[in-house]
């Protein structure tokens, strides 16, 4: 049984673009190394992409967060840094127009994995949302989040995120 790593929204706009923050840059080498580790062990890596369009400001998210980001086809939509070099043609990825990916959950449903690990950005929003989707799709699989491979622009919210994970029986490592 393979292990699965899900890299959540490690995109330019969340690292160095319109919603970027300094600590996000520090994750690049660490996430890159984790991806390489999974691939070298013939385990699976899936990427999610926050994906918006020109009508973003008319969406519920756009009304609450009026900052255009991750517009399809823009540089901000692309993966950041060294992590970008790891995306291969045969890798599975999901574009999502909201925080969690229902498509990801449907893909995972009834799959058999030894474990699932999530990393990426932003911890208390998209990573948390997708952790819950994974838990729903794979209720009996151990799920891990390495606290060194995710972050939020709000450090207090990141701490809350880690506590919430423990309450959801997610293994916080690192």
């Amino acid at each position: 049984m393979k292990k699965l790593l899900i890299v959540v929204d490690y995109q330019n706009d969340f690292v160095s673009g319109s919603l970027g923050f300094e600590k996000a840059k520090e994750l690049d080498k660490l996430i890159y190394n984790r991806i390489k580790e999974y691939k070298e062990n013939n385990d699976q890596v899936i990427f999610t992409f926050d994906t918006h369009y020109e009508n973003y400001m008319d969406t519920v998210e756009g009304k609450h967060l009026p900052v255009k980001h991750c517009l399809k086809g823009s540089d901000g939509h692309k993966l950041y840094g060294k992590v970008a070099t790891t995306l291969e043609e045969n890798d599975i990825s999901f574009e999502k127009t909201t925080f969690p990916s229902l498509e990801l959950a449907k893909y995972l449903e009834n799959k058999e994995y030894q474990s699932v690990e999530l990393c990426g950005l932003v911890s208390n929003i998209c990573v948390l949302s997708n952790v819950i989707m994974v838990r729903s799709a794979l209720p009996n699989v151990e799920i891990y989040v390495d606290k060194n491979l995710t972050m939020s622009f709000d450090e207090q919210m990141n701490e809350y995120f880690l506590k919430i994970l423990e309450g959801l029986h997610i293994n916080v490592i690192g």
Side-chain angles (χ1 to χ4, degrees):
M1 243 187 315
K2 286 187 174 193
K3 293 163 64 174
L4 170 62
L5 175 67
I6 300 172
V7 180
V8 178
D9 302 356
Y10 197 69
Q11 295 164 264
N12 287 326
D13 271 349
F14 290 121
V15 181
S16 60
S18 58
L19 293 173
F21 56 101
E22 260 327 286
K23 289 210 173 212
K25 293 176 184 172
E26 298 170 14
L27 301 178
D28 189 40
K29 184 176 181 184
L30 300 171
I31 293 174
Y32 170 84
N33 288 338
R34 188 62 53 91
I35 293 167
K36 296 300 272 180
E37 176 186 323
Y38 270 73
K39 288 187 173 190
E40 286 169 5
N41 289 328
N42 292 314
D43 289 316
Q44 187 176 12
V45 177
I46 292 176
F47 296 86
T48 69
F49 288 84
D50 194 46
T51 304
H52 300 293
Y53 301 91
E54 287 302 325
N55 71 335
Y56 171 75
M57 298 304 252
D58 298 326
T59 66
V60 170
E61 181 182 330
K63 290 175 183 167
H64 290 272
L65 179 64
V67 178
K68 283 189 175 183
H69 63 282
C70 298
L71 296 179
K72 176 83 173 177
S74 71
D75 282 340
H77 186 257
K78 295 175 183 171
L79 291 174
Y80 177 82
K82 291 181 74 149
V83 169
T85 68
T86 66
L87 182 63
E88 298 173 7
E89 191 175 324
N90 61 338
D91 287 330
I92 295 170
S93 63
F94 294 93
E95 292 185 348
K96 55 189 194 53
T97 59
T98 189
F99 307 133
S101 174
L102 184 57
E103 286 182 312
L104 170 64
K106 287 178 179 177
Y107 171 82
L108 294 176
E109 197 171 29
N110 300 315
K111 296 263 191 309
E112 292 188 23
Y113 291 101
Q114 178 181 336
S115 63
V116 177
E117 180 178 353
L118 291 92
C119 64
L121 299 171
V122 170
S123 63
N124 58 294
I125 303 170
C126 290
V127 176
L128 176 61
S129 298
N130 284 288
V131 163
I132 292 168
M133 298 302 276
V134 172
R135 170 59 72 220
S136 181
L138 301 170
N140 292 309
V141 172
E142 292 292 335
I143 301 172
Y144 296 86
V145 173
D146 185 326
K147 65 184 177 183
N148 299 309
L149 301 181
T150 186
M151 184 51 66
S152 174
F153 52 86
D154 181 329
E155 291 188 34
Q156 185 175 20
M157 290 301 288
N158 191 64
E159 290 301 316
Y160 292 151
F161 158 76
L162 296 171
K163 291 186 184 315
I164 289 168
L165 291 183
E166 291 173 6
L168 295 172
H169 305 150
I170 306 303
N171 301 288
V172 176
I173 58 175

